[in-house]
Amino acid sequence: MTEAVDQKPENESHTKSQACLPESIGHALYNQKTLIPPDPPSKRNTPSSSENTTGYNSEEIDAVKYPESTCTSDNSEVDEYIKDKENDQDALKSKGAEDPEDSPFEVVRSAVSNTDVPNMPSMTFRTHVLGIFFVCLISFVNQFYWERDNPIALNLLIVQLLCYPMGVAMAWGLPKRTWNLFGYKWTMNPGEFTIKEHVLISLMSNASAFMALTVDIFAVLRLYYNPSFPLWAALLLLLSGQMFAYALAGLSRALLVLPAPMIWPSSLINASLFRTFHEHQDHTVETTSEEAVPDAARIPHVRRRWQWRWRRASFSKITRTRFFWVCFICSFVWYFIPGYFLQMLSTVSLLCLVAPNNQLANMIGDGKQGLGVLAFSLDWSVFSNAFLQSPIATPFWAACNLFVGFVLVFWVALPVAYFKNLWGSATLPLYSMDVFTTNGTKYDISKVMRDGVFDSQAYDNYSPLRMSLEFSWVYGIGFAALMSILVHIGIYNGKEIITRLRETKAKHDDIHGKLITSYPSVKAWWYMVLLIASCATGIGVGIGAGIGVPWWGYMLSFAIAIVLVIPVGIIQAISNRQPGLSLVAELLSGVVLQGIPTGYSILKLYGHGSLAQALSYAQDMKLAHYMKIPPRHVMIYQLVGIVVSVIIQTCLFFWLIDRIPDMCRPEGYPWVCRSTNLVYSASIIWNLIGPMKVFGEGSPYSPLLWGFLFGLVLPIPVYYLQRRFPNQTWLQHVYVPVILSGIVGLPPMPSVDFPMWFLFGFVFNFIIHRYWHAWWQKYNFTLSAGLDSGLALSGILQFLALAQNGLKLDWWGNQVDRQCTLSKKPWISP
């Protein structure tokens, strides 16, 4: 169903387009391939070239009529255009001609147009302005909130939703005058805001969306290992890591982007969303006559609540743009309550309030350092956090898988094992990301280091390392999750991957590959020069800044990413699932660079971080490939986005360290740096002391290595049951890797986040989706974007205008650490 299009005024031959968002945007976002469960094995069919091709003959953009708006168009012109296309097709069929060429894969044909408009503007003044604006916005907001107790993250969806009305407004208001600058002619307004401009802006901003974790690596160096670690070294190292990742993605383009079988399903969702904004999905005019209303909706006694007429009428009274601003203002104003005036509302632990002197009640009810039972929040940053992302964007079946894993491990197995003192865990806090000695004190790394490296004799004299039970379980479950996703991909997607690999040569040049050849390509040697320069910069700066990692440690990090990018990229491009890469880098760094704690930072930066970023850049390149964006334009915008975001995020973090007292410590609430402290603990576990001592023979944590075997076996019986009972709908939605991954984020995530996130998803993606589907379809994702954006701006304003000027409220409503004072104490005294 699409919204009615605006009509042209009779006294004007052309009007600027309005921000119209077709209602199919809800389905385009909700049915993301990344979150759709695999088809039952008995029903899965591998796409092949023999599939019936379904083109977009009635949905193409007319190159002749371009740049006439696709959001505001005269119905007579649309009908005439469709009629001409139908006549052309009839003529082709009468001559025995074949259907227009299209992708050999149905999933691609359903989301991507097989046509192109080569003269459509892409790199324009509007893309420059909006691209830089969104890169700065996302880089600043994501890094600013990343170190807070409840971090949030703005992502590509926010850019897609906000960029469109801003682009349309610029097309309406900017002058169309042509300027001549030393013979180069350009204009601020080339016409309608185009889909290619929209895509370029989104790709530029997406290059900066997920780099805050990489900044944590240098935060650990600055805070814990080298307080004098310079800003310039962090800037150059992070920039070299991102450039290395981009060069790696570019060199892999021939194998991961250009071949038609490398589908990258997540890119199809974004392509569908862009087309939803800019193209007509249905040229027919909706009717509101009585004949169009189902009989069930006209009969009073039939209970079809989502089709009541008064509700149907109310849906069209407010546009998505207006609804976005309503949500934005409400979120902006409300966050002053839990963010400044009454911070206790961020996490309300009922059991602690009822029994503040009962340690058991404190440990069970604490939403920060305990199990979080009966804890709740009135803070949107808890519902939509950077660890779980927005609950609205996660389909309900996936949320159920994640929540089942959380309940089974965190609310059932963990308390039973802890209070039975498994591995001596009851002598440590129930939930903590710190590392301890055997007597329960925090581990002092200075006692086991000499000249910046591990001293085995000092370690024997000091104490073995101990972790909280939940922290140790995270690694065991992580081992299982890594193996389970490999097995899952093998048994569910193995045949498809093999088939696609065999088809790569035969289907290298599909219609999209042929159309993109009309634009100048990026030379492979450009990427090679960038790769060599980034590697040389990383080694030179690292050694010059005195990080302590030998040159061969850098080469090992580069080799890990270079060797794994193709096989891991092929798996992700076909199955849309990425095997866990973090544990691979941690294991290798712990074995090869054991005793050098700063080696963890280098392996994470180049071995894991660069590999994950390279795959993200490759996925964005595939989206640009589908949308027929000139490759050189893509390269320019992505590189500019990388450079700007690196500068903003690194400088912002170093500025925050210098401005905020007790940052990354409990006394600096809300700047507690959960992720940074987790990286610090991991550097001690994997590189300072090493996996052989922490998980090896004689350690209480050695049974966690059985997680590898557990992960290998668990998906197999689930696969068998799904084949045995194909009609059990709930069973087809059981996804073992998702269940296991539901607990991997605890820690650093506060325990209250998970039930609040699931509750909100249950309300909107189950109840409202089921009973008020039209409202959900129209407003659901706009609601999430509005709440996220309002909260982000409100928090920044509070920090700059209030906190930085010493305007803090010190009263019991803001003493968040006094709700559950006994939860941090161990159950048994050491």
Side-chain angles (χ1 to χ4, degrees), residues 29-38 388-407 577 729-730 732-743 754 757-759 761-762 765-766:
L29 287 169
Y30 187 69
N31 293 325
Q32 297 189 34
K33 181 70 176 179
T34 54
L35 300 172
I36 292 176
L388 293 169
Q389 302 298 321
S390 173
I392 293 177
T394 305
F396 186 63
W397 76 265
C400 288
N401 276 268
L402 290 167
F403 193 63
V404 165
F406 169 80
V407 171
R577 300 175 181 91
T729 305
W730 69 270
Q732 308 306 320
H733 288 81
V734 174
Y735 185 16
V736 173
V738 174
I739 294 176
L740 294 175
S741 65
I743 201 66
F754 226 122
W757 174 84
F758 178 77
L759 175 63
F762 171 74
N765 285 345
F766 179 74

Side-chain angles (χ1 to χ4, degrees), residues 505-516:
K505 292 184 178 180
K507 298 180 180 178
H508 189 288
D509 294 325
D510 64 349
I511 183 61
H512 307 294
K514 293 177 181 178
L515 290 174
I516 204 67

Side-chain angles (χ1 to χ4, degrees), residues 217-229:
I217 296 171
F218 302 104
V220 170
L221 291 176
R222 171 71 182 270
L223 291 170
Y224 300 107
Y225 292 112
N226 185 2
S228 61
F229 187 73

Side-chain angles (χ1 to χ4, degrees), residues 423-425 427-428 434-441 443 459 463-469 471-472 685 689 693-694 698-701:
W423 304 337
S425 58
T427 60
L428 303 174
D434 295 323
V435 290
F436 304 90
T437 63
T438 52
N439 61 10
T441 60
Y443 210 86
Y459 174 80
S463 171
L465 181 141
R466 294 291 181 264
M467 297 177 277
S468 67
L469 187 60
F471 193 8
S472 64
I685 295 170
I689 298 176
K693 291 184 179 295
V694 177
S699 168
Y701 307 118

Side-chain angles (χ1 to χ4, degrees), residues 293-357:
V293 181
D295 292 338
R298 298 198 300 267
I299 302 175
H301 65 272
V302 177
R303 300 185 63 183
R304 297 291 297 275
R305 286 171 287 181
W306 59 92
Q307 291 184 349
W308 287 352
R309 289 191 178 186
W310 68 272
R311 283 187 178 132
R312 288 170 60 89
S314 66
F315 295 151
S316 60
K317 289 184 178 180
I318 180 172
T319 63
R320 283 189 181 87
T321 302
R322 184 175 299 177
F323 184 76
F324 169 84
W325 286 113
V326 170
C327 297
F328 177 91
I329 294 172
C330 291
S331 178
F332 177 87
V333 174
W334 171 252
Y335 190 60
F336 276 88
I337 306 299
Y340 182 75
F341 291 107
L342 189 58
Q343 296 176 3
M344 196 175 85
L345 293 180
S346 180
T347 301
V348 180
S349 303
L350 290 179
L351 291 180
C352 295
L353 297 177
V354 172
N357 298 320

Side-chain angles (χ1 to χ4, degrees), residues 15 37 43 60 74 98 171 271 406 477 501 548 601 663 710 754 782 803:
T15 59
K43 300 181 180 181
E60 297 173 341
D74 192 337
E98 296 181 357
F406 169 80
I477 296 174
L501 289 176
S601 299
M663 185 172 178
F710 181 74
F754 226 122
T782 306

